[in-house]
């Protein structure tokens, strides 16, 4: 597959005269094509859901494009949860996986209807899980939080 840059050097120079550097230029067509190729590769699994790692590029314009292509958001912080919510990625289109996380972030994810991905190591060691229900084993606290 031959890859091409969707702009000329002259166009980049013109853009640099208008916008301060550094800046990012994204190829929306290529993003959409790649998203569709990935989705097609998993078409054999109708329940498949791709979650874009929001931390990789926390850009609302990119998230809107990926949302339109059916992607969800993989979040690990309050900022990422809020960004997804602002562009309309909510419910089970949000996967929340985080370590050493303040309880408010789990509460926000739960309120959004996100899929909460608890890591057993985190549950055993995180002080924040102790804030869910004081005085009970961590696993029990997490079970009660999820209900």
């Amino acid at each position: 597959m031959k890859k091409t840059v969707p702009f000329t050097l002259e166009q980049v120079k013109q853009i640099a005269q208008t916008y301060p550097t550094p800046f990012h230029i994204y190829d929306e067509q290529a993003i959409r094509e790649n998203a569709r190729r990935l989705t097609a590769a998993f078409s054999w699994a109708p329940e498949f859901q791709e979650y874009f790692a929001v931390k990789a590029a926390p850009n609302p314009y990119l998230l809107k494009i990926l949302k339109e292509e059916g992607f969800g958001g993989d979040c690990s912080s309050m900022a990422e949860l809020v960004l997804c919510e602002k562009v309309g990625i909510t419910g089970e289109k949000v996967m929340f996986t985080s370590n050493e996380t303040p309880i408010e972030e789990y509460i926000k994810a739960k309120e959004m209807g996100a899929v909460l991905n608890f890591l057993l190591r985190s549950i055993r060691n995180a002080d924040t899980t102790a804030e869910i229900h004081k005085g009970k084993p961590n696993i029990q606290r997490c079970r009660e939080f999820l209900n």
Side-chain angles (χ1 to χ4, degrees):
M1 170 191 309
K2 182 181 177 190
K3 294 190 177 191
T4 60
V5 179
F7 43 79
T8 66
L9 179 58
E10 186 56 39
Q11 288 173 313
V12 172
K13 287 179 181 180
Q14 289 174 354
I15 293 168
Q17 290 175 0
T18 305
Y19 299 98
T21 60
F23 55 81
H24 297 270
I25 298 176
Y26 297 99
D27 183 349
E28 181 177 347
Q29 181 179 343
I31 292 169
R32 289 184 185 279
E33 288 172 0
N34 286 331
R36 291 172 186 161
R37 255 197 313 280
L38 179 64
T39 301
F42 287 90
S43 62
W44 58 269
E47 299 298 316
F48 174 76
Q49 173 62 60
E50 178 61 31
Y51 296 92
F52 175 73
V54 177
K55 71 174 69 31
N59 179 319
Y61 299 102
L62 292 177
L63 288 175
K64 286 178 187 177
I65 292 168
L66 293 169
K67 176 185 180 265
E68 290 170 5
E69 295 300 329
F71 283 40
D74 175 27
C75 301
S76 63
S77 70
M78 180 68 80
E80 294 169 12
L81 288 168
V82 170
L83 185 55
C84 278
E85 186 176 49
K86 293 287 185 188
V87 301
I89 301 173
T90 59
E92 292 188 0
K93 291 282 191 164
V94 175
M95 173 75 67
F96 186 71
T97 305
S98 188
N99 296 311
E100 306 300 323
T101 305
I103 191 65
E104 294 79 17
E105 295 183 17
Y106 284 111
I107 291 168
K108 175 69 173 174
K110 186 178 178 188
E111 288 172 354
M112 289 175 65
V115 176
L116 300 176
N117 186 16
F118 286 100
L119 303 174
L120 187 55
R121 178 177 49 90
S122 297
I123 293 170
R124 288 184 180 145
N125 298 324
D127 290 334
T128 58
T129 57
E131 296 175 35
I132 296 171
H133 293 286
K134 298 200 181 299
K136 297 180 182 175
N138 287 338
I139 300 285
Q140 181 64 31
R141 288 192 298 256
C142 288
R143 284 187 184 127
E144 291 180 10
F145 173 73
L146 292 172
N147 289 329

